[in-house]
Amino acid sequence: MLLAVLALALIILDAKTDLLKPLREQFTGLSAPLYWVTSLPERIGEWGDDNLTSREDLLAENAALRSENYVLKQKLQKMAALTAENAHLNELLNSSEIVDEDVLIAKLIGVSPDPRRHEIVLDKGSNEGVFVGQAVLDADGLVGLVIETSPISSRVLLIVDSQNAVPVQVLRNNVRAIAEGTGIIDRLHLRHVVATTDIVEGDMLVSSGLGRRYPAGYPVAKVYAVEANPGQAFLTIKARPLAQLNRSRHFLLVFSDDITESGNEAGEPGNE
Amino acid sequence: MNNNQARLVLILISLLLAFMLAVSPLPDQWRWLRPNFVALVLIYWVLREPEVVGITLAWLVGLILDGVTGVYLGQHALSFAIIAYVVIVLHKRLRMFSVAQQAMLVFILLGLDQMINGWIDLVLRGGREELLLLMSAVIGGALWPVVVALINRFHGRLSSSY
């Protein structure tokens, strides 16, 4: 009886306050080896893929990567010119310049066993400078943000979790919206979009950087259904995340000056 | 190593294995079907050794599971304490049951565990209640004979000598 009351008190304390955070961090740190051990079969498979391939396969892969590299380099050349032009235009407009972001590559070591929660565990923690609130990407788009760190691991809340939302804008016309997680791994909803808004199927959504949680300009999702119901004031817009949320094994943790300092800046509005 | 120590080691190892099964990665759609392995092993030990594994230990194991899986601290502590209480109250009768009859009760207990956790999640986080969750309790009940047979292989040697 006493234990039941104690458990209920713990649940409420944990859900509503930050008091239990140190304890949770301890648990996250202690459970990292457990997640690491359970991801071993997958790692061995990966190692096998790397080390037990034939020479022909390696040569073919090498050739494919080299040609991809040339294509990317060609695009980069264009990018350099565009970046310079963009910076110049921004200067003319007197707006702040766009900062380059540093990234840290992390490996996936665990997935939340609770099917109601979309969370993953990565193998980099506060020892490598990972902090709570940091944005996480994969090769295709925005993945989520760090909600818990231990020295050797960190827990990431995916953008599709029902507790998460990302400020986005449409790439085509810069219309802003908020993409909310639904708890379904391949679906985001845009909330409170008025019926006359110009969003159509196939529109690309990129992070807008509003709210200072996520860095601006990263691809988030692609709209695949726009339903207008005359009985409702808002459109029902569904989008599919671009990041391979349930397939990627490697993730990028973004370090941008803007985001790390957001805590201080948010505290003193109107300083800029 | 005497019998008591051996028993404690066996309890620890079986729980550790259950924890590993509980966090091992599964495809997204399959996560709904994973039975609560830790609860299964815990029920076994409360049933066999109620003097060693009681309500308090069950509560602690639940708390560790909460910490490891990243849900609200106390969720599984609550449900495991309730499960342990029911098993302790019924343990004399349960031992007389056949394994199939025990499996029915295990199914009910695992379903209770899922429902308590589902309700807490529903109240604190919102979202939908999924009846699919009870599927994992059905699978857990079906796995009960396997768990009993597996642990009995090691445990039987210990308990036969006293």
Side-chain angles (χ1 to χ4, degrees):
Chain A
M1 199 56 223
L2 187 73
L3 287 171
V5 174
L6 200 60
L8 277 176
L10 266 179
I11 295 167
I12 292 163
L13 211 61
D14 194 20
K16 301 292 175 199
T17 69
D18 277 347
L19 288 176
L20 293 178
K21 212 157 199 181
L23 191 62
R24 293 192 68 105
E25 274 166 18
Q26 287 294 321
F27 272 124
T28 309
L30 284 176
S31 60
L34 202 63
Y35 281 105
W36 187 83
V37 168
T38 52
S39 71
L40 266 184
E42 202 173 308
R43 277 162 183 253
I44 290 170
E46 209 176 332
W47 180 86
D49 283 348
D50 286 348
N51 289 281
L52 304 175
T53 42
S54 67
R55 188 166 173 275
E56 284 76 31
D57 286 347
L58 282 176
L59 283 175
E61 196 188 341
N62 209 339
L65 284 174
R66 197 168 293 157
S67 59
E68 193 188 338
N69 197 12
Y70 281 131
V71 173
L72 289 176
K73 266 188 180 158
Q74 181 260 333
K75 281 188 180 156
L76 200 65
Q77 285 174 18
K78 232 180 207 168
M79 263 288 280
L82 283 175
T83 313
E85 189 185 335
N86 203 341
H88 183 63
L89 286 173
N90 270 332
E91 245 168 58
L92 287 179
L93 290 169
N94 269 335
S95 55
S96 60
E97 64 182 306
I98 296 159
V99 281
D100 239 0
E101 284 130 0
D102 277 339
V103 292
L104 174 72
I105 296 176
K107 265 190 180 173
L108 178 76
I109 55 170
V111 181
S112 165
D114 187 338
R116 285 170 297 238
R117 285 165 187 259
H118 290 285
E119 291 171 10
I120 55 175
V121 183
L122 300 180
D123 69 344
K124 294 277 160 40
S126 50
N127 279 352
E128 262 101 349
V130 179
F131 56 92
V132 172
Q134 191 169 18
V136 181
L137 313 168
D138 76 353
D140 300 304
L142 193 68
V143 168
L145 86 168
V146 177
I147 51 168
E148 241 175 75
T149 57
S150 78
I152 49 168
S153 70
S154 53
R155 197 175 275 279
V156 176
L157 187 72
L158 302 185
I159 50 173
V160 293
D161 189 274
S162 57
Q163 297 284 66
N164 208 348
V166 191
V168 294
Q169 61 187 32
V170 178
L171 193 61
R172 184 166 53 87
N173 53 11
N174 291 347
V175 168
R176 288 184 301 273
I178 290 183
E180 231 184 26
T182 54
I184 303 168
I185 193 84
D186 60 352
R187 192 177 299 168
L188 289 166
H189 280 181
L190 296 197
R191 286 266 287 196
H192 304 313
V193 178
V194 265
T196 51
T197 313
D198 178 20
I199 296 183
V200 295
E201 218 179 295
D203 270 347
M204 170 97 106
L205 304 173
V206 299
S207 54
S208 67
L210 295 177
R212 296 251 164 133
R213 265 289 173 226
Y214 297 100
Y218 285 107
V220 177
K222 199 160 211 163
V223 176
Y224 73 89
V226 180
E227 289 156 23
N229 185 345
Q232 283 173 337
F234 301 115
L235 293 171
T236 309
I237 300 178
K238 296 171 187 165
R240 189 166 288 127
L242 290 164
Q244 306 282 315
L245 295 178
N246 52 0
R247 295 196 187 89
S248 289
R249 285 201 201 136
H250 298 267
F251 293 91
L252 307 166
L253 292 147
V254 187
F255 291 92
S256 67
D257 299 339
D258 198 32
I259 302 293
T260 38
E261 289 165 9
S262 68
N264 309 333
E265 287 174 32
E268 306 160 293
N271 242 7
E272 294 169 55
Chain B
M1 193 154 66
N2 65 29
N3 241 341
N4 264 329
Q5 279 171 330
R7 197 169 300 134
L8 281 180
V9 169
L10 188 58
I11 293 174
L12 278 181
I13 290 177
S14 57
L15 278 175
L16 194 66
L17 281 176
F19 268 99
M20 277 165 66
L21 285 174
V23 301
S24 60
L26 273 186
D28 192 54
Q29 301 83 351
W30 288 39
R31 284 193 300 173
W32 291 97
L33 306 180
R34 183 201 324 250
N36 194 334
F37 288 105
V38 180
L40 268 176
V41 172
L42 199 71
I43 292 172
Y44 176 92
W45 286 117
V46 177
L47 187 60
R48 287 303 152 98
E49 310 275 355
E51 297 86 5
V52 185
V53 183
I55 298 175
T56 317
L57 198 64
W59 191 89
L60 275 176
V61 169
L63 191 69
I64 295 172
L65 185 62
D66 290 330
V68 167
T69 55
V71 297
Y72 294 123
L73 292 179
Q75 265 185 248
H76 286 99
L78 177 66
S79 60
F80 283 10
I82 292 172
I83 287 178
Y85 174 74
V86 175
V87 175
I88 282 181
V89 167
L90 295 177
H91 82 270
K92 285 200 174 119
R93 200 184 307 174
L94 263 175
R95 283 185 190 171
M96 297 295 120
F97 282 3
S98 70
V99 173
Q101 283 169 314
Q102 285 176 357
M104 276 306 294
L105 192 92
V106 168
F107 157 64
I108 291 169
L109 287 174
L110 291 180
L112 187 71
D113 168 64
Q114 293 289 5
M115 267 148 81
I116 290 173
N117 284 298
W119 285 332
I120 292 171
D121 229 64
L122 202 64
V123 170
L124 291 174
R125 281 167 56 90
R128 312 171 315 284
E129 182 61 29
E130 293 270 357
L131 269 180
L132 199 56
L133 265 185
L134 285 183
M135 205 51 216
S136 77
V138 174
I139 294 175
L143 274 179
W144 173 249
V146 182
V147 173
V148 170
L150 260 179
I151 311 184
N152 265 351
R153 272 186 83 94
F154 302 97
H155 190 225
R157 280 177 219 162
L158 292 173
S159 35
S160 59
S161 56
Y162 81 107

